[in-house]
């Protein structure tokens, strides 16, 4: 249920409604807009309905949230967009974020070179996997803790916040020590226990769409994080499985405006994993930025031909600045400004 407060409602009245919601075992998720405060009451619908919140002081109306996803639903924040702040870099609303870095952390030299080059080229955040979800158990699985240490060094040297994947809840502690944004990979989108754990960790989350997941399933996955009280979820379209085999995955650009209709959460696009090859990454990035994506996450490597994984799709780091400039211009078409320094 959604409790819409009157524009004149006081903080005390909002607090009283929250306490009342919590008194029946439901959770209250207030969302303070410019005009009104809306409180999402998530719990047993019957119990919440029986509270008689309509008659409470400061309450305008009580309405059901019609969609199965509740906290991520646009209904809860009418006309408003969630803006996630990562160390002063903003993502969402009119703020565009360029997340760049190698597929995986391979060595100190490769990581630091990549970080310096994308920082100089205008990146907002640095990406790199220390734990890698590989299709084959015989492939390189990531440097693990040593990889996290290198990411921390890259941040210390460049100031770029870190986006890195958490594969297993048992690695949560070391990962949150280094990550400014925790990435949930496509293959883990429906790992609900992991999502809830991350929700409780209180770090922003980049949630990738599963290879065959519908947008509703993606939003239901986001709900697992939001429900734990973590409001900072970035939805990521990274290509889905279709009958087409001419490229790695089909980048679903329609997901950008549709997710924005359905949800207030920022939408990030990963052109690298969709494309599977370098030549496609720039056109897909430009299309995504012009279509209103709130950010791009792109793989960049100093020497892609030597990369341990995903070499063919990684942009060459020496071309990153020119690429970033074009993406920035495409984002401007959608009315967005690159947020690449602390606000
Ligand atoms: C990645 O970003 O490195 C990755 C493995 O992506 P995905 O989960 O989308 O395949
Ligand atoms: Mn990759």
């Amino acid at each position: 249920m959604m409790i819409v407060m009157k524009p004149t409602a006081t903080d005390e009245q909002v607090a009283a409604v929250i306490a009342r919601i919590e008194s029946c075992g439901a959770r209250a998720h207030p969302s303070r807009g410019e005009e009104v405060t809306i409180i999402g009451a998530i719990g047993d619908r019957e119990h919440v309905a029986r509270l008689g919140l309509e008659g409470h002081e400061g309450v305008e109306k009580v309405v059901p949230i019609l969609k199965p996803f509740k906290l991520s639903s646009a209904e809860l924040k009418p006309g408003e967009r969630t803006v996630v702040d990562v160390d002063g870099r903003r993502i969402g609303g009119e703020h565009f974020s360029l997340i760049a870095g190698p597929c995986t952390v391979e060595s100190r030299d490769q990581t630091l070179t990549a970080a310096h080059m994308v920082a100089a080229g205008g990146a907002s955040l640095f990406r790199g996997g220390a734990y890698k979800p590989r299709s084959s158990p015989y492939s390189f699985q990531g440097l693990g803790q040593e990889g996290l240490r290198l990411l921390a060094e890259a941040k210390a040297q460049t100031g770029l916040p870190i986006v890195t994947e958490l594969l297993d809840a048992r690695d949560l502690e070391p990962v949150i020590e280094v990550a400014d944004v925790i990435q949930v990979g496509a293959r883990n989108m429906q790992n609900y226990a992991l999502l809830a754990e991350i929700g409780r960790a209180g770090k922003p989350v980049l949630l990738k769409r599963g290879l065959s997941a519908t947008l509703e399933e993606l939003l239901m996955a986001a709900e697992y994080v939001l429900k734990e009280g973590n409001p900072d979820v970035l939805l990521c379209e990274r290509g889905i499985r279709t009958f087409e085999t001419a490229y790695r995955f089909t980048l679903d650009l329609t997901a950008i405006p549709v997710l924005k209709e359905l949800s207030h959460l920022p939408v990030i696009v990963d052109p690298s994993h969709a494309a599977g090859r370098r030549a496609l990454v720039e056109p897909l990035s430009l299309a995504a930025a012009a279509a209103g994506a709130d950010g791009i996450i792109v793989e960049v490597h100093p020497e892609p031909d030597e990369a341990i994984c995903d070499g063919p799709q990684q942009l060459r780091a020496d071309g990153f600045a020119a690429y970033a400039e074009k993406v920035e211009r495409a984002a401007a078409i959608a009315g967005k400004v690159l947020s690449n320094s602390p606000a």
Side-chain angles (χ1 to χ4, degrees), residues 20-242:
R20 183 104 176 101
I21 292 168
E22 288 173 346
S23 72
C24 78
R27 274 206 196 197
H29 297 264
S31 155
R32 287 170 217 278
E34 296 219 328
E35 305 269 305
V36 291
T37 293
I38 295 179
I39 306 167
I42 308 297
D44 188 306
R45 201 165 154 168
E46 296 292 304
H47 289 177
V48 176
R50 254 185 266 131
L51 294 173
L53 290 166
E54 291 88 349
H56 247 259
E57 272 184 279
V59 174
E60 174 88 45
K61 57 183 174 183
V62 177
V63 281
I65 303 174
L66 299 173
K67 294 278 193 277
F69 43 90
K70 309 289 180 193
L71 299 171
S72 56
S73 170
E75 291 172 75
L76 196 59
K77 285 189 167 188
E80 257 191 82
R81 308 295 315 166
T82 286
V83 176
V84 175
D85 189 304
V86 184
D87 263 3
R89 281 80 172 173
R90 302 214 183 109
I91 313 173
E94 71 263 31
H95 310 283
F96 186 88
S97 186
L98 190 49
I99 307 167
C103 176
T104 183
V105 174
E106 298 170 14
S107 69
R108 183 166 186 270
D109 187 40
Q110 170 252 10
T111 303
L112 297 182
T113 306
H116 280 287
M117 289 179 87
V118 300
S124 317
L125 292 93
F126 185 57
R127 65 145 288 153
Y131 296 94
K132 296 303 299 177
R134 305 303 300 279
S135 301
S136 164
Y138 307 114
S139 301
F140 176 68
Q141 304 286 308
L143 290 182
Q145 301 242 4
E146 170 60 7
L148 292 174
R149 203 193 58 69
L150 293 173
L151 288 169
E153 197 175 348
K155 182 179 178 183
Q157 288 196 15
T158 63
L160 290 182
I162 301 296
V163 181
T164 196
E165 178 161 355
L166 177 68
L167 263 186
D168 184 327
R170 285 170 292 190
D171 299 314
L172 182 69
E173 258 182 53
V175 167
I176 54 173
E177 251 178 60
V178 171
D180 297 288
V181 176
I182 300 176
Q183 178 173 325
V184 176
R187 289 152 192 85
N188 261 326
M189 188 203 85
Q190 287 177 312
N191 183 340
Y192 299 127
L194 182 69
L195 294 173
E197 197 72 47
I198 291 174
R200 290 187 285 271
K203 284 262 171 164
V205 182
L206 180 111
L207 177 61
K208 290 195 150 193
R209 181 182 183 183
L211 312 188
S212 314
T214 64
L215 296 182
E216 184 169 309
E217 285 164 341
L218 172 61
L219 291 166
M220 293 309 286
E223 209 66 20
Y224 273 88
V225 177
L226 298 165
K227 182 174 173 286
E228 298 302 323
N230 182 350
D232 294 332
V233 178
L234 308 166
L235 304 169
C236 180
E237 161 59 33
R238 47 77 73 211
I240 50 173
R241 279 254 158 87
T242 69

